[in-house]
């Protein structure tokens, strides 16, 4: 993207508060690499500047020691990016910190002693928000208990899950995992058919969080329309300026000597802060155009439509009419076409990154926003290694809408870019990752204390898993994630 930005404008007390953050890293031959986040934009009473931003770790092996977990609502936390840093390989990945937080909160409520302390240290004072599920957004929790283990589960723990998490509590034979996988499929809007495998029938209890979104863009990327022409853009009357792009493209590019075909959407915007009438002066423009048009008529003996014109009185009338229309048209460049784009988006750039953001439609009062961040001075792997939550929050905070007040005066700014389509899923090494950030005792049968959940001595978590998927298209985003922690008594 090419653009010129002014200094950031104050946005007031409408901070970004995370509802679902799906972190994606993409290695695409066309764009090099992207790190993508989905966040919500809801009005909350706190000030985004009021919570101190924490520093992150640049080493996976030191996540436990270096990470300071600040999960206050209103900003991205180190927890949210911990799994991205823990699995910083060169492959596509997606996960939902929110889903993991829900599963850990339910587990925390069933733990005591050092087991609870470790989980609480990671979660901090984070308070989960309940969301109302609908056909476009689903968030659900469940507690599956083997029939033979039912008597071991404490009644107050079950009551807490139902009251605090709206959790489904299901007693099952565990003869197969079909019932649990069917629940996951339903609660992820059909996007994740299954997570559990046949070996999971050895568990005595399983906590699950599942979420999914199926949302359209607030304003869709424009489609190619060959009947009306397939390019979209803007040109300014009587000025030597135009901008255009293919509204949807299959683009062949050569990056790192690799020719590839990538399907996606081109974007453009033109922000006209060059008020030519104000800068040159209306009288000067009128005089210049009057003289040039009168000269043209004398040379050709016709007006611009090719109609004969030689009478001086008629020439004066024609020139006056022409210049008045000319002035109206040239003024419209700045007023009517000053903020032009082929879709709505926000952007941010500095020496290290380019960022793009676009809103999805509002569903039941919740608006999700897609944010793509592309490193420009580092490889994606190095950028993830060095990044922390404060740097990402700074980018999000400084995203600018396509308004003239956000761009430099005295110039026309052209923004162009290419947004690729993509579809993939990813499974986190969740159990190993949780150990890296300091949650260890709950996985050790000798150390685990789940006495808040069960009467059974020696109960522990034998498996933790997380899977997510995303489908990013011209129409919108479909994405889902599921987290499970399964234990034995």
């Amino acid at each position: 993207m090419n653009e010129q930005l002014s200094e950031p404008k104050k946005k007031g007390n409408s901070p970004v508060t995370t509802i679902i953050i799906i972190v994606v890293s993409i290695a695409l031959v066309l764009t090099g690499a992207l790190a993508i986040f989905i966040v919500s934009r809801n009005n909350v009473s706190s000030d985004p500047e009021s919570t101190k931003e924490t520093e992150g770790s640049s080493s996976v092996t030191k996540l436990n020691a270096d990470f300071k977990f600040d999960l206050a609502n209103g900003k991205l936390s180190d927890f949210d990016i911990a799994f991205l840093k823990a699995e910083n390989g060169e492959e596509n990945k997606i996960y939902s910190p929110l889903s993991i937080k829900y599963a850990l909160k339910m587990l925390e409520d069933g733990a005591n002693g050092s087991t609870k302390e470790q989980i609480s240290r990671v979660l901090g004072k984070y308070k989960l928000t309940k969301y109302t599920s609908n056909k476009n957004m689903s968030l659900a929790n469940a507690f599956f208990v083997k029939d033979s283990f039912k008597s071991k589960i404490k009644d107050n723990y079950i009551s807490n899950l139902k009251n605090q998490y709206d959790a489904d509590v299901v007693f099952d034979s565990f003869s197969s995992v079909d019932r649990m996988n069917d629940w996951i499929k339903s609660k992820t809007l059909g996007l994740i058919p299954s997570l559990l495998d046949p070996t999971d029938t050895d568990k005595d209890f399983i906590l699950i969080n599942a979420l999914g979104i199926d949302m359209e863009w607030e304003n869709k990327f424009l489609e190619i329309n060959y009947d009306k022409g397939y390019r979209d853009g803007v040109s300014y009357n009587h000025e030597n300026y135009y901008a255009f792009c293919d509204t949807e493209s299959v683009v062949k590019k050569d990056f790192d000597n690799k020719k590839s075909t990538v399907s996606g959407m081109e974007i453009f915007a033109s922000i006209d802060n060059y008020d030519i009438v104000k800068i040159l002066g209306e009288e000067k423009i009128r005089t210049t155009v009057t003289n040039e048009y009168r000269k043209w008529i004398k040379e050709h003996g016709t007006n611009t439509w090719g109609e004969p014109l030689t009478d001086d009185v008629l020439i004066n009338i024609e020139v006056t009419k022409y210049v008045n229309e000319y002035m109206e048209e040239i003024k419209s460049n700045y007023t009517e076409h000053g903020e032009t784009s082929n879709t709505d988006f926000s952007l941010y750039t500095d020496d290290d990154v380019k960022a793009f953001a676009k809103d999805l439609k509002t569903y039941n009062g919740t608006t999700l926003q897609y944010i793509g961040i592309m490193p420009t001075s580092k490889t994606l792997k190095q950028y993830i290694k060095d990044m922390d939550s404060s740097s990402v929050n700074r980018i999000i905070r400084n995203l600018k809408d396509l308004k003239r007040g956000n761009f430099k005066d005295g110039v026309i700014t052209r923004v162009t870019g290419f947004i690729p389509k993509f579809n993939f899923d990813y499974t986190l090494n969740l159990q190993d990752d949780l150990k890296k950030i300091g949650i260890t005792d709950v996985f050790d049968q000798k150390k685990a204390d789940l006495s808040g959940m069960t009467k059974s001595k020696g109960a522990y978590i034998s498996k933790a898993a997380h899977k997510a998927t995303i489908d990013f298209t011209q129409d919108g985003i479909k994405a889902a994630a599921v987290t499970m922690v399964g234990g034995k008594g």
Side-chain angles (χ1 to χ4, degrees), residues 233-234 236 268-272 336-343 402:
V234 63
Y236 293 155
F268 92 93
S270 179
I271 309 299
D272 187 357
E336 295 178 18
H337 309 298
E339 301 164 354
T340 305
S341 66
N342 69 338
T343 189
L402 301 176

Side-chain angles (χ1 to χ4, degrees), residues 25-45:
S25 61
I26 305 172
L28 288 174
V29 293
L30 178 62
T31 55
L34 291 171
I36 298 171
F37 307 84
I38 298 178
V39 301
S40 72
R41 304 175 68 184
N42 291 339
N43 291 328
V44 295
S45 58

